[in-house]
Amino acid sequence: MHQNPQGFMEYREQVVVFRKEGINHIARIKTYVDLKKNKKPKLVSLLTNDFDMPLETIVAIYRRRWQIKSLFKQIKQNFHLRYFYGESANAIKIQIWVTLIANLLLSVP
């Protein structure tokens, strides 16, 4: 556990092992204090199997995930992708790219 000069926890790292039917999977849990303006501090724990990435990068990726979720929600609401017009992988990729480009054009003022 790493503490700041006031004695509060900045972050904690734990190594955990998941076992099932003779298979072991090693991961790490990074717990940090999320200090947002005008909000109470809260503990956030993130589970990852990347042992090389620094905490700051893991937290940045976690925060970006909400932007990605918002984009998917916006695309689902504006473009009804209930089925794909083609069956090949290339046709599906083209349809998704066209949808992303159209969404981008709609968001430009």
Side-chain angles (χ1 to χ4, degrees):
M1 179 169 41
H2 296 270
Q3 296 178 345
N4 63 15
Q6 291 84 17
F8 295 113
M9 180 184 85
E10 285 185 352
Y11 69 92
R12 178 179 65 195
E13 183 172 355
Q14 298 171 282
V15 176
V16 293
V17 179
F18 297 98
R19 294 183 177 93
K20 184 175 181 181
E21 299 173 5
I23 299 173
N24 293 339
H25 183 77
I26 300 172
R28 70 179 179 167
I29 301 172
K30 289 279 199 169
T31 303
Y32 70 98
V33 180
D34 191 9
L35 300 170
K36 291 187 179 179
K37 294 179 183 175
N38 302 325
K39 290 193 176 183
K40 290 169 112 176
K42 71 176 186 177
L43 290 178
V44 177
S45 296
L46 305 172
L47 177 69
T48 180
N49 62 353
D50 189 331
F51 283 86
D52 300 326
M53 197 177 297
L55 174 66
E56 295 80 17
T57 306
I58 293 171
V59 170
I61 290 170
Y62 171 76
R63 288 188 174 145
R64 282 280 173 101
R65 117 177 192 269
W66 292 111
Q67 293 174 334
I68 294 168
K69 283 185 168 227
S70 297
L71 173 66
F72 284 149
K73 182 179 179 183
Q74 183 182 14
I75 288 173
K76 283 187 207 176
Q77 289 175 347
N78 295 332
F79 304 97
H80 302 288
L81 289 174
R82 292 196 176 105
Y83 57 91
F84 293 107
Y85 294 108
E87 294 180 7
S88 69
N90 192 45
I92 293 170
K93 285 179 188 177
I94 289 171
Q95 185 175 349
I96 291 171
W97 276 111
V98 168
T99 302
L100 288 170
I101 292 168
N103 188 58
L104 180 65
L105 291 172
L106 288 174
S107 64
V108 175

Coordinates of all heavy atoms in Angstrom, one line a residue, residues 17 33 45 53 68 81 84:
V17 N -4.7 -15.1 -7.5 CA -4.7 -16.3 -8.4 C -6.0 -16.9 -8.4 O -6.6 -17.2 -7.4 CB -3.6 -17.3 -7.9 CG1 -3.6 -18.5 -8.8 CG2 -2.2 -16.7 -7.8
V33 N -7.9 5.7 -4.7 CA -8.9 6.7 -4.2 C -9.2 7.6 -5.3 O -8.3 8.3 -5.8 CB -8.4 7.4 -3.0 CG1 -9.5 8.4 -2.5 CG2 -8.0 6.5 -1.9
S45 N -11.6 -0.3 -7.4 CA -10.8 -1.4 -7.6 C -10.9 -1.9 -9.1 O -12.0 -2.1 -9.6 CB -11.1 -2.6 -6.7 OG -10.9 -2.2 -5.4
M53 N 1.8 -2.4 -17.1 CA 1.2 -1.1 -17.3 C 1.1 -0.4 -16.0 O 0.7 -0.9 -14.9 CB -0.2 -1.3 -17.9 CG -0.8 0.0 -18.4 SD -2.4 -0.3 -19.2 CE -2.0 -1.5 -20.5
I68 N -16.6 5.4 -24.5 CA -16.9 4.3 -25.4 C -18.3 3.9 -25.2 O -19.1 3.7 -26.2 CB -15.9 3.2 -25.4 CG1 -14.5 3.7 -25.8 CG2 -16.3 2.0 -26.2 CD1 -13.4 2.7 -25.5
L81 N -29.1 -0.9 -35.9 CA -28.3 -1.9 -36.5 C -28.8 -3.3 -36.0 O -28.2 -4.0 -35.3 CB -26.8 -1.8 -36.0 CG -26.1 -0.6 -36.7 CD1 -24.7 -0.5 -36.1 CD2 -26.0 -0.8 -38.2
F84 N -27.3 -7.0 -40.3 CA -26.3 -6.6 -41.3 C -26.8 -6.9 -42.7 O -27.4 -7.9 -42.9 CB -25.0 -7.2 -41.0 CG -24.4 -6.8 -39.7 CD1 -24.4 -7.7 -38.6 CD2 -23.8 -5.5 -39.5 CE1 -23.8 -7.2 -37.4 CE2 -23.3 -5.1 -38.3 CZ -23.3 -6.0 -37.2

